[in-house]
């Protein structure tokens, strides 16, 4: 049987802080490929660059790793409903796992700033979808308040089981590459993922499976860069709606990851994000969503600044699948050639 079908809980049960009696549920999450860059890595002078394809998880993002653990814990605790605030991917994941395992699922999203595919996912899996007039940060505040008074399990990454599940991506990278990379680049929004990876790598190092710890390199969108600015941002803005967050819940986890790893959290503007997304698609064959491309954009910035040296072994985490948000790239694509159904016309059209 392929390891993939095991899922995160069965594969890593001895290394997850989850009660042994929690159900070993799965939707086939985890065990995503680490694909070597053929073009971009060499052009940056890196010794190696791998892309961790988290968009290949069942609902198309890394969120499934933590969601499966959070839902298992909720089931074990006898919960009958889960809720989250989301910029889209968490809601898609909660809806899928909630639907599959018989939990009522409620998701609260910022109106007008969520990729169409993600919203459809939440709805098709049967979640109750509520949109608010406000950004993710406000949605999370409202949801946390509600949870204080209602018997519904919060499955945002403030739920510690989420971070536990997400750390397994670091285990897989060490497994696949034989050691931790020297640099791990990833997008940072609510900052759960950078917190989770850093925990995962520290555990690998502590247990002797990795000889080194990576420098953690976080990318925030320049219109939503509270960790770079050092203060919350009231009205975050970016084309990368997944990371349109002004006051990350795991603020301290991100700062610890950055400082303990001698890493960096830097901002990259929307143009750099979209350009990185386009090049990953064009030259590497991987369609990730805009937020995911912030990993490469920040790595490129660090190489240009001299903060990451040529000859470095790096991994970029591509957190979500580009198919969720085709609208974000459409304007930059070359036009479709419209021709009559005729071989001569086809020959002329493709000549150029
Ligand atoms: N990349 C993608 C595709 C995301 O969906 C998110 C977060 C991030 C990166 C950032 O990860 O929040 O752990 O720092 N999406 C959340 C959501 C906020 O609601 O789907 P983070």
């Amino acid at each position: 049987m392929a390891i993939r079908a095991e899922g995160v809980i069965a594969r890593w049960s001895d290394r997850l802080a989850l009660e042994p009696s929690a159900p070993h549920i799965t939707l086939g999450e985890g065990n995503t490929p680490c694909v070597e860059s053929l073009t971009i890595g060499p052009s940056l002078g890196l010794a190696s660059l791998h892309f961790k394809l988290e968009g290949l998880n069942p609902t198309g993002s890394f969120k499934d790793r933590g969601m499966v653990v959070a839902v298992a814990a909720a089931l074990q605790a006898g919960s009958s409903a889960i809720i989250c605030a989301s910029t889209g991917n968490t809601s898609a994941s909660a809806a899928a796992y909630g639907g599959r395992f018989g939990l009522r699922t409620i998701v609260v999203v910022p109106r007008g700033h969520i990729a169409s595919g993600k919203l459809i996912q939440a709805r098709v899996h049967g979640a109750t979808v509520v949109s608010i007039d406000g950004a993710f940060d406000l949605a999370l505040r409202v949801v946390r308040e509600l949870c204080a008074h209602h018997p519904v399990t919060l499955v945002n990454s403030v739920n510690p089981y989420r971070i536990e599940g997400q750390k397994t991506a670091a285990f897989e990278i060490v497994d696949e590459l034989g050691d931790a990379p020297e640099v791990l680049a990833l997008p940072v929004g609510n900052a759960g993922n950078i917190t989770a990876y850093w925990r995962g790598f520290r555990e690998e190092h502590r247990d002797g499976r990795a000889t080194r710890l990576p420098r953690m390199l976080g990318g925030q969108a320049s219109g939503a860069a509270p960790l770079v600015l050092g203060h919350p941002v009231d009205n975050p803005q970016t084309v990368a709606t997944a990371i349109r967050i002004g006051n990350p819940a795991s603020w301290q986890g991100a700062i610890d990851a950055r400082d303990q790893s001698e890493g960096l959290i830097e901002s990259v503007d929307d143009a750099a994000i979209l350009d990185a997304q386009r090049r990953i698609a064009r030259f590497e064959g991987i369609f990730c969503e805009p937020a995911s491309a912030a990993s490469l954009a920040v790595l490129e910035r660090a190489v240009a600044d001299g903060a990451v040296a040529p000859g470095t072994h790096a991994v970029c985490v591509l957190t979500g699948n580009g198919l969720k948000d085709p609208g974000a790239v459409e304007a930059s694509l070359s036009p479709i050639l419209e021709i009559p159904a005729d071989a001569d016309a086809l020959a002329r059209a493709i000549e150029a």
Side-chain angles (χ1 to χ4, degrees):
M1 190 180 73
I3 289 174
R4 171 156 199 161
E6 270 187 332
V8 156
I9 295 178
R11 182 168 179 197
W12 303 108
S13 58
D14 55 333
R15 300 177 61 188
L16 293 174
L18 177 68
E19 292 68 15
S21 57
H24 280 201
I25 57 171
T26 187
L27 195 46
E29 64 291 322
N31 200 34
T32 58
C34 224
V35 174
E36 182 155 19
S37 165
L38 297 183
T39 304
I40 297 172
S43 75
L44 290 172
L46 296 171
S48 70
L49 173 62
H50 286 83
F51 296 111
K52 178 73 169 158
L53 303 194
E54 289 291 276
L56 295 188
N57 277 295
T59 76
S61 86
F62 71 95
K63 303 289 182 178
D64 297 337
R65 294 179 184 276
M67 195 57 66
V68 72
V69 181
V71 166
L75 290 169
Q76 193 212 15
S79 176
S80 59
I82 56 175
I83 191 168
C84 65
S86 182
T87 57
N89 282 321
T90 302
S91 68
S93 187
Y97 284 84
R100 179 172 168 90
F101 298 106
L103 298 172
R104 169 149 198 234
T105 305
I106 303 137
V107 307
V108 183
V109 300
R111 189 175 310 142
H113 294 280
I114 168 163
S116 58
K118 300 174 188 178
L119 208 49
I120 292 289
Q121 285 182 286
R123 294 167 68 197
V124 80
H125 293 306
T128 302
V129 179
V130 183
S131 81
I132 61 151
D133 188 14
F136 168 86
D137 308 283
L138 186 56
L140 182 57
R141 197 189 318 155
V142 170
V143 162
R144 289 177 93 160
E145 254 176 66
L146 179 120
C147 286
H149 306 289
H150 290 80
V152 45
T153 303
L154 181 64
V155 293
N156 280 106
S157 57
V158 291
N159 176 329
Y161 295 109
R162 284 276 315 279
I163 306 284
E164 272 298 288
Q166 285 175 207
K167 77 181 179 185
T168 61
F171 298 169
E172 289 178 15
I173 289 173
V174 172
D175 237 31
E176 185 144 349
L177 302 183
D179 204 341
E182 291 166 294
V183 168
L184 190 285
L186 80 176
V188 178
N190 209 30
N193 213 28
I194 190 171
T195 303
Y197 269 92
W198 182 236
R199 182 188 297 172
F201 284 121
R202 274 182 303 147
E203 290 182 7
E204 289 289 284
H205 188 249
R206 177 198 67 199
D207 297 344
R209 277 179 290 266
T211 67
R212 60 192 176 209
L213 286 164
R215 293 172 65 205
M216 302 294 286
L217 197 54
Q220 295 213 285
S222 53
L227 295 164
V228 181
L229 297 170
H231 59 77
V233 172
D234 277 343
N235 184 19
Q237 292 300 342
T238 170
V239 67
T241 52
I243 52 171
R244 188 174 167 272
I245 292 175
N247 192 8
S250 295
W251 187 297
Q252 194 54 46
I255 298 301
D256 288 349
R258 181 193 68 190
D259 294 348
Q260 292 169 12
S261 77
E262 295 170 26
L264 287 169
I265 299 178
E266 297 277 5
S267 63
V268 284
D269 65 23
D270 281 3
I273 288 173
L274 289 174
D275 184 60
Q277 182 194 20
R278 189 189 54 76
R279 285 181 289 109
I280 295 166
R282 172 66 185 83
F283 300 114
E284 305 286 356
I286 303 161
F287 187 19
C288 67
E289 61 176 286
S292 306
S295 62
L296 177 64
V298 76
L299 177 63
E300 291 183 323
R301 184 182 159 166
V303 170
D305 291 350
V308 167
T312 296
H313 291 281
V315 170
C316 278
V317 184
L318 301 183
T319 47
N321 197 308
L323 293 171
K324 287 168 173 277
D325 191 9
V329 284
E330 203 167 4
S332 68
L333 302 178
S334 47
I336 295 167
L337 306 175
E338 291 180 9
I339 62 159
D342 169 302
D344 289 336
L346 177 56
R348 276 194 304 277
I350 63 176
E351 233 167 39

